Amino acid sequence: MINIVFFAQLREQLKCDQLKLDIPTPCKVSDVQQAIVNENPQWAQYLTDRALMCAVNQDMVQSDTMVNAGSEVAFFPPVTGG
Amino acid sequence: MINIVFFAQLREQLKCDQLKLDIPTPCKVSDVQQAIVNENPQWAQYLTDRALMCAVNQDMVQSDTMVNAGSEVAFFPPVTGG
Amino acid sequence: MPDTAHQEYDLLSVQNEDFDVAYEYAQLRENNSQDGAIVFFSGLVRDFNQGNDVTGLFLEHYPAMTEKALEKIIVQAKERWPINRVRLIHRVGQLYLSDQIVFVGVSSSHREAAFEACHFIMDYLKKQAPFWKKETTKKGDWWVESLEKDQKALDKWQKDE
Amino acid sequence: MPDTAHQEYDLLSVQNEDFDVAYEYAQLRENNSQDGAIVFFSGLVRDFNQGNDVTGLFLEHYPAMTEKALEKIIVQAKERWPINRVRLIHRVGQLYLSDQIVFVGVSSSHREAAFEACHFIMDYLKKQAPFWKKETTKKGDWWVESLEKDQKALDKWQKDE
Protein backbone atom coordinates (compact mmCIF):
# COMPACT_ATOMS: atom_id res chain seq x y z
CA MET A 1 0.00 0.00 0.00
CA ILE A 2 1.31 3.47 -0.80
CA ASN A 3 -0.04 6.89 0.09
CA ILE A 4 -0.61 9.39 -2.72
CA VAL A 5 -0.92 13.16 -2.23
CA PHE A 6 -1.77 15.94 -4.71
CA PHE A 7 -1.18 19.68 -4.48
CA ALA A 8 -2.18 23.03 -5.95
CA GLN A 9 -4.06 23.10 -9.29
CA LEU A 10 -3.65 19.34 -9.67
CA ARG A 11 -5.46 18.84 -6.36
CA GLU A 12 -8.19 21.19 -7.59
CA GLN A 13 -8.46 19.49 -11.00
CA LEU A 14 -8.77 16.03 -9.43
CA LYS A 15 -10.91 17.31 -6.54
CA CYS A 16 -8.82 15.00 -4.40
CA ASP A 17 -5.95 15.70 -2.02
CA GLN A 18 -4.93 12.16 -1.11
CA LEU A 19 -5.67 8.50 -1.68
CA LYS A 20 -4.32 5.03 -0.82
CA LEU A 21 -3.13 2.84 -3.64
CA ASP A 22 -2.73 -0.93 -3.50
CA ILE A 23 0.00 -1.78 -5.99
CA PRO A 24 2.77 -4.44 -6.07
CA THR A 25 6.00 -2.90 -4.82
CA PRO A 26 8.75 -2.04 -5.50
CA CYS A 27 7.53 -0.30 -8.66
CA LYS A 28 8.42 2.81 -10.62
CA VAL A 29 6.85 6.24 -10.10
CA SER A 30 5.51 5.92 -13.65
CA ASP A 31 3.78 2.65 -12.65
CA VAL A 32 2.14 4.45 -9.73
CA GLN A 33 0.96 7.17 -12.09
CA GLN A 34 -0.46 4.59 -14.51
CA ALA A 35 -2.22 2.68 -11.72
CA ILE A 36 -3.92 5.87 -10.52
CA VAL A 37 -5.13 6.61 -14.05
CA ASN A 38 -6.36 3.03 -14.46
CA GLU A 39 -8.50 3.41 -11.33
CA ASN A 40 -9.59 6.96 -12.26
CA PRO A 41 -9.69 7.25 -16.05
CA GLN A 42 -11.28 10.72 -15.84
CA TRP A 43 -7.95 11.99 -14.36
CA ALA A 44 -5.85 10.91 -17.34
CA GLN A 45 -5.55 14.35 -18.94
CA TYR A 46 -4.25 15.87 -15.67
CA LEU A 47 -1.96 13.08 -14.52
CA THR A 48 -0.23 12.64 -17.86
CA ASP A 49 0.88 16.28 -18.00
CA ARG A 50 4.61 15.97 -18.66
CA ALA A 51 5.37 19.09 -16.60
CA LEU A 52 4.10 17.41 -13.40
CA MET A 53 6.65 16.98 -10.65
CA CYS A 54 6.89 14.09 -8.24
CA ALA A 55 8.34 13.54 -4.77
CA VAL A 56 8.80 10.20 -3.05
CA ASN A 57 9.02 10.40 0.73
CA GLN A 58 9.42 14.17 0.38
CA ASP A 59 12.36 14.08 -2.01
CA MET A 60 12.01 15.28 -5.60
CA VAL A 61 12.45 12.35 -8.00
CA GLN A 62 12.24 11.42 -11.68
CA SER A 63 9.57 9.09 -13.09
CA ASP A 64 11.88 6.05 -13.17
CA THR A 65 12.57 6.21 -9.42
CA MET A 66 11.57 3.07 -7.49
CA VAL A 67 8.82 3.27 -4.87
CA ASN A 68 8.63 0.90 -1.90
CA ALA A 69 5.62 -0.17 0.13
CA GLY A 70 4.57 2.39 2.74
CA SER A 71 6.00 5.30 0.74
CA GLU A 72 4.34 8.66 0.30
CA VAL A 73 4.24 9.69 -3.35
CA ALA A 74 3.34 13.30 -4.17
CA PHE A 75 2.34 14.71 -7.55
CA PHE A 76 2.19 18.44 -8.17
CA PRO A 77 2.59 21.13 -10.82
CA PRO A 78 5.91 22.97 -11.19
CA VAL A 79 6.55 24.93 -8.01
CA THR A 80 6.13 28.72 -7.90
CA GLY A 81 7.31 29.90 -4.48
CA GLY A 82 9.80 32.61 -3.59
CA MET B 1 48.81 76.14 -13.68
CA ILE B 2 47.31 72.89 -12.50
CA ASN B 3 46.41 71.70 -9.03
CA ILE B 4 47.82 68.38 -7.82
CA VAL B 5 46.38 66.33 -4.94
CA PHE B 6 47.65 63.15 -3.25
CA PHE B 7 45.79 60.63 -1.07
CA ALA B 8 46.29 57.78 1.39
CA GLN B 9 49.74 56.17 1.69
CA LEU B 10 51.05 58.25 -1.23
CA ARG B 11 50.14 61.43 0.69
CA GLU B 12 51.94 60.01 3.73
CA GLN B 13 55.00 58.94 1.74
CA LEU B 14 55.35 62.37 0.11
CA LYS B 15 54.33 64.19 3.29
CA CYS B 16 52.32 66.43 0.98
CA ASP B 17 48.61 66.55 0.25
CA GLN B 18 48.58 69.13 -2.54
CA LEU B 19 50.71 71.42 -4.66
CA LYS B 20 50.45 73.79 -7.62
CA LEU B 21 52.36 72.93 -10.77
CA ASP B 22 53.31 75.36 -13.52
CA ILE B 23 53.53 73.31 -16.71
CA PRO B 24 52.69 74.04 -20.37
CA THR B 25 49.20 72.74 -21.16
CA PRO B 26 47.59 70.74 -22.64
CA CYS B 27 49.91 67.94 -21.63
CA LYS B 28 49.59 64.29 -20.74
CA VAL B 29 49.07 62.92 -17.23
CA SER B 30 52.46 61.23 -17.61
CA ASP B 31 54.04 64.64 -18.33
CA VAL B 32 52.50 65.99 -15.13
CA GLN B 33 53.91 63.04 -13.22
CA GLN B 34 57.38 63.61 -14.73
CA ALA B 35 57.28 67.33 -13.96
CA ILE B 36 56.45 66.63 -10.31
CA VAL B 37 59.38 64.21 -10.08
CA ASN B 38 61.70 66.73 -11.75
CA GLU B 39 60.83 69.31 -9.10
CA ASN B 40 60.93 66.73 -6.27
CA PRO B 41 63.46 64.04 -7.18
CA GLN B 42 63.14 62.46 -3.71
CA TRP B 43 59.57 61.44 -4.66
CA ALA B 44 60.59 59.45 -7.71
CA GLN B 45 60.27 56.02 -6.10
CA TYR B 46 56.71 56.73 -4.97
CA LEU B 47 55.42 58.54 -8.05
CA THR B 48 56.71 56.00 -10.54
CA ASP B 49 54.82 53.12 -8.90
CA ARG B 50 52.94 51.60 -11.81
CA ALA B 51 49.97 50.66 -9.62
CA LEU B 52 49.22 54.35 -8.91
CA MET B 53 45.83 55.56 -10.08
CA CYS B 54 45.06 59.00 -11.45
CA ALA B 55 41.95 61.17 -11.73
CA VAL B 56 41.66 64.37 -13.75
CA ASN B 57 38.88 66.68 -12.61
CA GLN B 58 37.54 63.83 -10.46
CA ASP B 59 37.30 61.26 -13.26
CA MET B 60 39.54 58.20 -13.29
CA VAL B 61 41.90 58.37 -16.29
CA GLN B 62 44.84 56.60 -17.90
CA SER B 63 48.33 58.11 -18.08
CA ASP B 64 47.97 59.26 -21.69
CA THR B 65 44.91 61.41 -20.93
CA MET B 66 45.34 65.11 -21.75
CA VAL B 67 45.28 67.69 -18.96
CA ASN B 68 44.22 71.31 -19.51
CA ALA B 69 45.17 74.41 -17.56
CA GLY B 70 43.16 74.82 -14.34
CA SER B 71 42.59 71.10 -13.96
CA GLU B 72 42.80 69.16 -10.75
CA VAL B 73 45.00 66.07 -11.11
CA ALA B 74 44.87 63.48 -8.32
CA PHE B 75 47.33 60.63 -7.73
CA PHE B 76 46.56 57.82 -5.33
CA PRO B 77 47.15 54.13 -4.62
CA PRO B 78 44.60 51.53 -5.74
CA VAL B 79 41.34 52.15 -3.90
CA THR B 80 40.24 49.89 -1.04
CA GLY B 81 36.74 50.99 -0.02
CA GLY B 82 33.61 48.95 0.40
CA MET C 1 34.34 24.68 7.69
CA PRO C 2 31.06 25.25 9.49
CA ASP C 3 31.58 27.14 12.72
CA THR C 4 29.40 25.96 15.60
CA ALA C 5 29.37 29.48 17.04
CA HIS C 6 27.32 30.49 14.01
CA GLN C 7 24.85 27.61 13.98
CA GLU C 8 22.70 28.99 16.78
CA TYR C 9 22.11 32.00 14.54
CA ASP C 10 20.90 29.94 11.60
CA LEU C 11 17.17 29.92 10.98
CA LEU C 12 14.84 28.01 8.71
CA SER C 13 11.18 28.83 9.12
CA VAL C 14 7.98 28.25 7.14
CA GLN C 15 5.33 30.38 8.77
CA ASN C 16 2.09 32.29 8.42
CA GLU C 17 3.36 35.26 10.41
CA ASP C 18 5.17 38.22 8.94
CA PHE C 19 8.88 38.64 9.66
CA ASP C 20 11.02 41.59 10.71
CA VAL C 21 13.98 42.27 8.46
CA ALA C 22 15.67 44.44 11.11
CA TYR C 23 15.59 41.55 13.58
CA GLU C 24 16.88 39.10 10.97
CA TYR C 25 19.72 41.47 10.08
CA ALA C 26 20.59 41.87 13.76
CA GLN C 27 20.80 38.08 14.12
CA LEU C 28 23.24 37.93 11.21
CA ARG C 29 25.44 40.62 12.83
CA GLU C 30 25.29 39.79 16.54
CA ASN C 31 28.57 38.48 18.04
CA ASN C 32 29.93 38.20 14.55
CA SER C 33 33.08 40.23 14.05
CA GLN C 34 34.31 37.53 11.68
CA ASP C 35 31.98 38.29 8.78
CA GLY C 36 32.51 41.41 6.73
CA ALA C 37 29.64 40.81 4.32
CA ILE C 38 25.91 40.36 4.71
CA VAL C 39 23.64 39.92 1.69
CA PHE C 40 19.94 39.52 1.87
CA PHE C 41 17.03 39.08 -0.46
CA SER C 42 13.47 39.96 0.36
CA GLY C 43 10.56 38.96 -1.90
CA LEU C 44 7.30 40.93 -1.84
CA VAL C 45 3.81 40.55 -3.33
CA ARG C 46 3.82 42.85 -6.34
CA ASP C 47 0.86 44.39 -8.08
CA PHE C 48 1.46 43.16 -11.59
CA ASN C 49 2.38 39.61 -12.51
CA GLN C 50 1.85 37.62 -15.71
CA GLY C 51 -0.47 40.28 -17.10
CA ASN C 52 -2.82 40.67 -14.15
CA ASP C 53 -3.59 43.25 -11.51
CA VAL C 54 -2.85 41.36 -8.36
CA THR C 55 -4.60 42.15 -5.09
CA GLY C 56 -3.20 39.27 -3.07
CA LEU C 57 -2.09 35.67 -3.19
CA PHE C 58 -2.51 32.41 -1.35
CA LEU C 59 0.62 30.36 -0.77
CA GLU C 60 0.05 26.62 -0.60
CA HIS C 61 2.85 24.24 0.37
CA TYR C 62 3.57 20.57 1.10
CA PRO C 63 4.10 20.73 4.86
CA ALA C 64 5.85 17.37 5.25
CA MET C 65 8.37 18.29 2.56
CA THR C 66 8.92 22.04 2.66
CA GLU C 67 11.52 22.35 5.40
CA LYS C 68 13.37 19.28 4.19
CA ALA C 69 13.65 20.74 0.68
CA LEU C 70 14.82 24.12 1.99
CA GLU C 71 17.34 22.52 4.34
CA LYS C 72 18.87 20.64 1.40
CA ILE C 73 19.32 23.88 -0.53
CA ILE C 74 21.03 25.55 2.43
CA VAL C 75 23.34 22.55 2.89
CA GLN C 76 24.33 22.73 -0.78
CA ALA C 77 25.05 26.46 -0.48
CA LYS C 78 27.19 25.88 2.63
CA GLU C 79 29.15 23.16 0.88
CA ARG C 80 29.79 25.36 -2.12
CA TRP C 81 30.69 28.73 -0.51
CA PRO C 82 32.49 29.76 2.69
CA ILE C 83 29.42 31.27 4.31
CA ASN C 84 28.65 31.29 8.01
CA ARG C 85 25.08 32.21 8.91
CA VAL C 86 21.98 31.60 6.83
CA ARG C 87 18.50 32.75 7.80
CA LEU C 88 15.63 31.69 5.56
CA ILE C 89 11.96 32.45 6.16
CA HIS C 90 9.14 31.63 3.74
CA ARG C 91 5.57 32.59 4.48
CA VAL C 92 2.50 30.52 3.57
CA GLY C 93 -1.24 31.19 3.61
CA GLN C 94 -3.08 34.36 2.57
CA LEU C 95 -0.93 37.37 1.69
CA TYR C 96 -1.80 40.81 0.36
CA LEU C 97 -0.26 43.43 -1.90
CA SER C 98 3.25 44.49 -0.81
CA ASP C 99 3.40 41.84 1.92
CA GLN C 100 6.73 40.17 2.54
CA ILE C 101 6.85 36.60 1.18
CA VAL C 102 10.40 35.37 1.63
CA PHE C 103 13.65 36.39 3.31
CA VAL C 104 17.10 34.93 2.71
CA GLY C 105 20.03 36.44 4.62
CA VAL C 106 23.61 35.20 4.40
CA SER C 107 26.77 36.27 6.24
CA SER C 108 30.32 35.56 5.16
CA SER C 109 33.87 36.86 5.44
CA HIS C 110 33.74 37.20 1.68
CA ARG C 111 31.51 39.51 -0.32
CA GLU C 112 31.48 37.25 -3.37
CA ALA C 113 30.46 34.18 -1.35
CA ALA C 114 27.63 36.05 0.39
CA PHE C 115 26.25 37.34 -2.93
CA GLU C 116 26.48 34.05 -4.75
CA ALA C 117 25.14 31.87 -1.93
CA CYS C 118 22.13 34.15 -1.34
CA HIS C 119 21.38 34.23 -5.08
CA PHE C 120 21.82 30.46 -5.37
CA ILE C 121 19.45 29.78 -2.46
CA MET C 122 16.74 31.93 -4.04
CA ASP C 123 17.18 30.38 -7.48
CA TYR C 124 16.94 26.86 -6.07
CA LEU C 125 14.05 27.72 -3.77
CA LYS C 126 12.11 28.94 -6.82
CA LYS C 127 12.46 25.58 -8.57
CA GLN C 128 12.85 22.96 -5.85
CA ALA C 129 10.82 23.95 -2.80
CA PRO C 130 7.16 22.81 -2.81
CA PHE C 131 5.32 26.14 -2.75
CA TRP C 132 2.51 27.18 -5.11
CA LYS C 133 1.07 30.65 -5.50
CA LYS C 134 -2.57 31.27 -6.33
CA GLU C 135 -3.07 34.91 -7.20
CA THR C 136 -6.16 36.94 -6.44
CA THR C 137 -6.85 39.44 -9.20
CA LYS C 138 -9.80 41.64 -10.10
CA LYS C 139 -10.60 39.22 -12.91
CA GLY C 140 -10.54 36.10 -10.72
CA ASP C 141 -8.09 33.81 -8.96
CA TRP C 142 -5.53 31.72 -10.72
CA TRP C 143 -2.46 29.66 -10.14
CA VAL C 144 0.82 31.32 -11.08
CA GLU C 145 2.57 29.65 -14.01
CA SER C 146 6.10 28.43 -13.54
CA LEU C 147 8.56 30.44 -15.63
CA GLU C 148 11.11 29.26 -18.16
CA LYS C 149 13.53 31.91 -16.89
CA ASP C 150 13.53 30.34 -13.42
CA GLN C 151 14.81 27.10 -14.94
CA LYS C 152 17.50 29.08 -16.77
CA ALA C 153 18.47 30.76 -13.51
CA LEU C 154 19.08 27.30 -12.08
CA ASP C 155 21.04 26.04 -15.07
CA LYS C 156 23.49 28.90 -14.62
CA TRP C 157 24.69 27.41 -11.32
CA GLN C 158 25.30 24.04 -12.91
CA LYS C 159 27.41 25.47 -15.71
CA ASP C 160 29.59 27.18 -13.11
CA GLU C 161 30.72 23.94 -11.58
CA MET D 1 12.76 53.28 -18.08
CA PRO D 2 13.46 55.26 -14.90
CA ASP D 3 10.27 55.93 -13.00
CA THR D 4 10.13 59.38 -11.40
CA ALA D 5 7.97 57.99 -8.59
CA HIS D 6 11.01 56.02 -7.49
CA GLN D 7 13.65 58.74 -7.75
CA GLU D 8 12.65 60.43 -4.51
CA TYR D 9 13.52 57.17 -2.78
CA ASP D 10 17.00 57.00 -4.26
CA LEU D 11 19.85 57.88 -1.94
CA LEU D 12 23.57 58.42 -2.33
CA SER D 13 25.39 59.43 0.83
CA VAL D 14 29.01 59.58 2.00
CA GLN D 15 28.88 60.20 5.71
CA ASN D 16 30.57 59.83 9.09
CA GLU D 17 27.36 58.77 10.82
CA ASP D 18 26.16 55.19 11.12
CA PHE D 19 23.12 54.10 9.10
CA ASP D 20 19.99 52.14 9.97
CA VAL D 21 19.36 49.15 7.72
CA ALA D 22 15.71 48.91 8.83
CA TYR D 23 15.10 52.49 7.71
CA GLU D 24 16.86 51.91 4.39
CA TYR D 25 14.82 48.79 3.78
CA ALA D 26 11.61 50.68 4.59
CA GLN D 27 12.54 53.34 2.02
CA LEU D 28 12.99 50.65 -0.63
CA ARG D 29 9.53 49.20 0.17
CA GLU D 30 7.40 52.28 0.87
CA ASN D 31 4.71 52.99 -1.76
CA ASN D 32 6.31 50.37 -3.94
CA SER D 33 3.88 47.61 -4.87
CA GLN D 34 5.64 47.40 -8.24
CA ASP D 35 8.85 45.77 -7.03
CA GLY D 36 8.81 42.15 -5.92
CA ALA D 37 12.52 41.93 -5.14
CA ILE D 38 14.84 43.79 -2.80
CA VAL D 39 18.49 42.84 -2.48
CA PHE D 40 20.92 44.52 -0.19
CA PHE D 41 24.54 44.26 0.77
CA SER D 42 25.99 45.46 4.03
CA GLY D 43 29.74 45.62 4.64
CA LEU D 44 31.15 45.48 8.18
CA VAL D 45 34.55 45.93 9.84
CA ARG D 46 35.76 42.40 10.45
CA ASP D 47 38.34 41.26 12.95
CA PHE D 48 40.76 39.52 10.65
CA ASN D 49 42.04 40.93 7.38
CA GLN D 50 45.22 40.27 5.42
CA GLY D 51 46.73 38.40 8.35
CA ASN D 52 46.12 40.94 11.08
CA ASP D 53 43.94 41.27 14.14
CA VAL D 54 41.98 44.37 13.36
CA THR D 55 40.62 46.64 16.07
CA GLY D 56 39.34 49.38 13.79
CA LEU D 57 39.97 51.30 10.62
CA PHE D 58 40.13 54.82 9.28
CA LEU D 59 38.42 55.46 5.96
CA GLU D 60 39.95 58.25 3.91
CA HIS D 61 38.31 59.47 0.71
CA TYR D 62 38.64 62.13 -1.99
CA PRO D 63 35.69 64.35 -1.10
CA ALA D 64 35.45 66.21 -4.41
CA MET D 65 35.31 62.96 -6.35
CA THR D 66 33.60 60.35 -4.17
CA GLU D 67 29.93 61.08 -4.87
CA LYS D 68 30.62 61.66 -8.55
CA ALA D 69 32.31 58.25 -8.84
CA LEU D 70 29.50 56.49 -6.98
CA GLU D 71 26.83 58.25 -9.03
CA LYS D 72 28.48 56.99 -12.23
CA ILE D 73 28.37 53.42 -10.96
CA ILE D 74 24.67 53.72 -10.10
CA VAL D 75 23.91 55.19 -13.52
CA GLN D 76 25.68 52.27 -15.19
CA ALA D 77 23.71 49.78 -13.09
CA LYS D 78 20.42 51.49 -13.98
CA GLU D 79 21.28 51.43 -17.67
CA ARG D 80 22.12 47.77 -17.54
CA TRP D 81 19.30 46.31 -15.41
CA PRO D 82 15.60 47.14 -14.95
CA ILE D 83 15.99 48.29 -11.36
CA ASN D 84 13.96 51.01 -9.70
CA ARG D 85 15.34 52.24 -6.39
CA VAL D 86 18.97 52.35 -5.33
CA ARG D 87 20.19 53.43 -1.91
CA LEU D 88 23.93 53.63 -1.37
CA ILE D 89 25.64 54.78 1.81
CA HIS D 90 29.39 54.69 2.44
CA ARG D 91 30.87 55.80 5.71
CA VAL D 92 34.20 57.62 6.13
CA GLY D 93 36.37 58.48 9.13
CA GLN D 94 37.15 56.35 12.18
CA LEU D 95 35.31 53.03 12.47
CA TYR D 96 35.59 50.17 14.94
CA LEU D 97 35.20 46.41 14.96
CA SER D 98 31.81 45.21 13.62
CA ASP D 99 30.80 48.75 12.58
CA GLN D 100 28.80 49.10 9.41
CA ILE D 101 30.89 50.50 6.52
CA VAL D 102 28.71 50.40 3.43
CA PHE D 103 25.12 49.72 2.42
CA VAL D 104 23.79 49.08 -1.08
CA GLY D 105 20.06 48.36 -1.46
CA VAL D 106 18.32 47.78 -4.79
CA SER D 107 14.66 47.21 -5.64
CA SER D 108 13.32 45.72 -8.86
CA SER D 109 10.38 43.82 -10.29
CA HIS D 110 12.91 41.12 -11.15
CA ARG D 111 14.91 39.03 -8.69
CA GLU D 112 17.77 38.50 -11.13
CA ALA D 113 18.13 42.23 -11.87
CA ALA D 114 18.13 43.15 -8.18
CA PHE D 115 20.82 40.56 -7.38
CA GLU D 116 23.06 41.43 -10.30
CA ALA D 117 22.76 45.21 -9.98
CA CYS D 118 23.54 45.14 -6.25
CA HIS D 119 26.52 42.86 -6.81
CA PHE D 120 27.74 44.99 -9.74
CA ILE D 121 27.54 48.20 -7.70
CA MET D 122 29.62 46.67 -4.90
CA ASP D 123 32.22 45.23 -7.29
CA TYR D 124 32.63 48.58 -9.04
CA LEU D 125 32.64 50.55 -5.81
CA LYS D 126 35.54 48.38 -4.61
CA LYS D 127 37.68 49.28 -7.63
CA GLN D 128 36.49 52.69 -8.82
CA ALA D 129 35.41 54.79 -5.86
CA PRO D 130 38.16 56.80 -4.13
CA PHE D 131 38.17 55.30 -0.65
CA TRP D 132 41.21 54.02 1.23
CA LYS D 133 41.24 51.97 4.43
CA LYS D 134 43.93 52.27 7.05
CA GLU D 135 43.58 49.46 9.55
CA THR D 136 44.36 49.71 13.24
CA THR D 137 45.81 46.47 14.53
CA LYS D 138 47.58 45.46 17.72
CA LYS D 139 50.85 45.43 15.78
CA GLY D 140 50.40 48.91 14.33
CA ASP D 141 48.42 50.78 11.69
CA TRP D 142 48.67 50.06 7.99
CA TRP D 143 47.00 50.72 4.71
CA VAL D 144 44.94 47.89 3.32
CA GLU D 145 46.36 46.42 0.12
CA SER D 146 44.19 46.33 -2.95
CA LEU D 147 43.34 42.75 -3.92
CA GLU D 148 43.78 40.96 -7.21
CA LYS D 149 40.45 39.22 -6.69
CA ASP D 150 38.64 42.56 -6.66
CA GLN D 151 39.95 43.24 -10.17
CA LYS D 152 38.77 39.80 -11.24
CA ALA D 153 35.34 40.51 -9.76
CA LEU D 154 35.18 43.54 -12.05
CA ASP D 155 36.37 41.70 -15.15
CA LYS D 156 33.49 39.26 -14.74
CA TRP D 157 30.97 42.01 -15.55
CA GLN D 158 32.82 42.97 -18.71
CA LYS D 159 32.89 39.41 -20.04
CA ASP D 160 29.12 39.27 -19.60
CA GLU D 161 28.47 42.07 -22.06
Side-chain angles (χ1 to χ4, degrees):
Chain A
M1 188 74 85
I2 57 178
N3 192 39
I4 314 289
V5 289
F6 303 112
F7 291 95
Q9 56 268 60
L10 182 64
R11 174 178 49 73
E12 289 186 350
Q13 287 157 343
L14 307 186
K15 297 182 184 63
C16 172
D17 61 358
Q18 58 177 312
L19 57 87
K20 302 278 180 197
L21 188 73
D22 201 356
I23 183 176
T25 49
C27 64
K28 287 186 183 170
V29 164
S30 53
D31 299 329
V32 173
Q33 220 161 344
Q34 190 53 55
I36 301 170
V37 171
N38 291 347
E39 286 193 15
N40 307 274
Q42 74 282 17
W43 292 355
Q45 59 174 311
Y46 305 117
L47 276 172
T48 53
D49 181 347
R50 297 196 56 197
L52 276 193
M53 299 173 80
C54 179
V56 173
N57 295 329
Q58 301 86 46
D59 281 317
M60 296 279 198
V61 297
Q62 303 301 317
S63 62
D64 58 355
T65 300
M66 297 307 289
V67 179
N68 293 313
S71 292
E72 175 167 286
V73 179
F75 294 99
F76 43 79
V79 300
T80 56
Chain B
M1 188 76 82
I2 57 180
N3 192 39
I4 314 290
V5 289
F6 303 111
F7 290 96
Q9 56 268 60
L10 182 63
R11 174 177 50 72
E12 291 186 348
Q13 287 157 342
L14 307 186
K15 298 181 182 67
C16 172
D17 61 358
Q18 58 176 310
L19 57 86
K20 303 277 181 195
L21 187 74
D22 201 357
I23 183 176
T25 50
C27 63
K28 288 184 182 170
V29 164
S30 53
D31 298 329
V32 172
Q33 220 160 344
Q34 190 53 54
I36 300 170
V37 172
N38 290 348
E39 286 193 15
N40 308 273
Q42 75 283 16
W43 292 355
Q45 60 173 310
Y46 305 116
L47 277 172
T48 53
D49 181 348
R50 296 197 56 198
L52 276 193
M53 299 175 78
C54 178
V56 173
N57 296 327
Q58 299 86 45
D59 281 317
M60 297 277 197
V61 297
Q62 303 301 318
S63 62
D64 57 355
T65 301
M66 297 306 289
V67 179
N68 293 314
S71 293
E72 175 167 286
V73 179
F75 294 99
F76 43 80
V79 301
T80 57
Chain C
M1 285 174 293
D3 184 330
T4 52
H6 290 293
Q7 284 170 9
E8 63 183 293
Y9 290 99
D10 280 350
L11 176 75
L12 169 50
S13 175
V14 178
Q15 62 188 45
N16 282 279
E17 300 73 35
D18 197 9
F19 50 81
D20 176 5
V21 161
Y23 176 79
E24 297 309 318
Y25 178 65
Q27 294 300 107
L28 291 165
R29 264 187 91 185
E30 188 177 276
N31 293 323
N32 189 5
S33 60
Q34 179 184 355
D35 287 341
I38 292 173
V39 172
F40 84 49
F41 174 87
S42 163
L44 310 167
V45 180
R46 62 186 162 117
D47 56 14
F48 191 82
N49 193 26
Q50 301 187 359
N52 305 304
D53 288 319
V54 176
T55 55
L57 60 80
F58 187 85
L59 253 157
E60 178 170 332
H61 73 129
Y62 178 3
M65 177 175 173
T66 316
E67 292 199 14
K68 191 175 169 180
L70 295 173
E71 182 64 36
K72 267 193 188 175
I73 297 170
I74 293 171
V75 166
Q76 286 179 68
K78 288 196 171 192
E79 284 170 358
R80 193 155 165 180
W81 289 280
I83 55 178
N84 284 312
R85 301 183 186 179
V86 175
R87 296 182 74 84
L88 192 167
I89 303 169
H90 202 299
R91 294 177 70 192
V92 292
Q94 182 63 51
L95 301 177
Y96 298 97
L97 201 57
S98 295
D99 275 358
Q100 301 183 122
I101 304 170
V102 57
F103 174 88
V104 179
V106 172
S107 80
S108 174
S109 316
H110 305 280
R111 169 175 99 259
E112 193 74 14
F115 267 115
E116 297 212 330
C118 187
H119 195 166
F120 171 94
I121 290 169
M122 273 308 302
D123 283 352
Y124 272 68
L125 183 157
K126 277 262 172 190
K127 293 303 283 184
Q128 302 195 334
F131 295 103
W132 300 273
K133 287 186 187 130
K134 189 175 198 175
E135 284 180 347
T136 315
T137 78
K138 285 167 190 159
K139 297 179 201 153
D141 299 351
W142 35 59
W143 293 97
V144 172
E145 294 288 321
S146 148
L147 297 175
E148 173 77 10
K149 71 174 180 186
D150 287 328
Q151 184 57 47
K152 288 199 178 131
L154 210 64
D155 296 343
K156 164 187 74 199
W157 298 108
Q158 269 131 32
K159 271 181 283 176
D160 278 5
E161 284 182 297
Chain D
M1 284 175 294
D3 185 331
T4 51
H6 289 293
Q7 285 171 8
E8 64 183 291
Y9 290 99
D10 280 349
L11 174 74
L12 169 49
S13 175
V14 178
Q15 61 188 43
N16 282 279
E17 300 73 35
D18 198 9
F19 50 80
D20 176 5
V21 161
Y23 176 80
E24 297 310 317
Y25 178 64
Q27 294 301 108
L28 291 165
R29 264 185 92 183
E30 189 178 276
N31 293 321
N32 190 6
S33 60
Q34 178 184 356
D35 287 340
I38 291 173
V39 172
F40 85 48
F41 174 88
S42 162
L44 311 166
V45 180
R46 62 184 162 121
D47 55 14
F48 191 82
N49 194 27
Q50 302 186 357
N52 305 305
D53 288 319
V54 176
T55 55
L57 59 79
F58 186 86
L59 254 157
E60 178 171 331
H61 73 129
Y62 177 4
M65 176 175 174
T66 316
E67 291 199 14
K68 189 175 171 182
L70 295 172
E71 182 65 36
K72 267 193 188 174
I73 296 169
I74 293 171
V75 166
Q76 285 179 68
K78 288 198 169 191
E79 284 170 357
R80 192 154 165 181
W81 289 281
I83 55 176
N84 284 312
R85 300 183 186 178
V86 176
R87 296 181 74 84
L88 192 167
I89 303 169
H90 203 299
R91 293 177 70 193
V92 292
Q94 183 62 50
L95 300 177
Y96 298 96
L97 202 57
S98 295
D99 275 358
Q100 300 183 121
I101 305 171
V102 58
F103 174 89
V104 179
V106 173
S107 81
S108 174
S109 316
H110 305 280
R111 169 176 100 258
E112 193 74 14
F115 267 115
E116 297 213 329
C118 186
H119 196 166
F120 171 94
I121 289 169
M122 272 310 300
D123 283 352
Y124 272 68
L125 182 158
K126 277 262 174 190
K127 292 303 285 185
Q128 300 194 337
F131 295 102
W132 300 272
K133 288 188 186 126
K134 189 175 197 174
E135 284 180 348
T136 315
T137 79
K138 285 166 190 159
K139 297 181 201 150
D141 300 350
W142 37 57
W143 293 96
V144 171
E145 294 288 319
S146 148
L147 297 176
E148 173 77 8
K149 71 173 181 188
D150 287 328
Q151 183 58 46
K152 287 198 178 130
L154 210 64
D155 295 343
K156 162 186 77 204
W157 298 107
Q158 270 132 31
K159 271 182 283 177
D160 279 4
E161 285 183 298

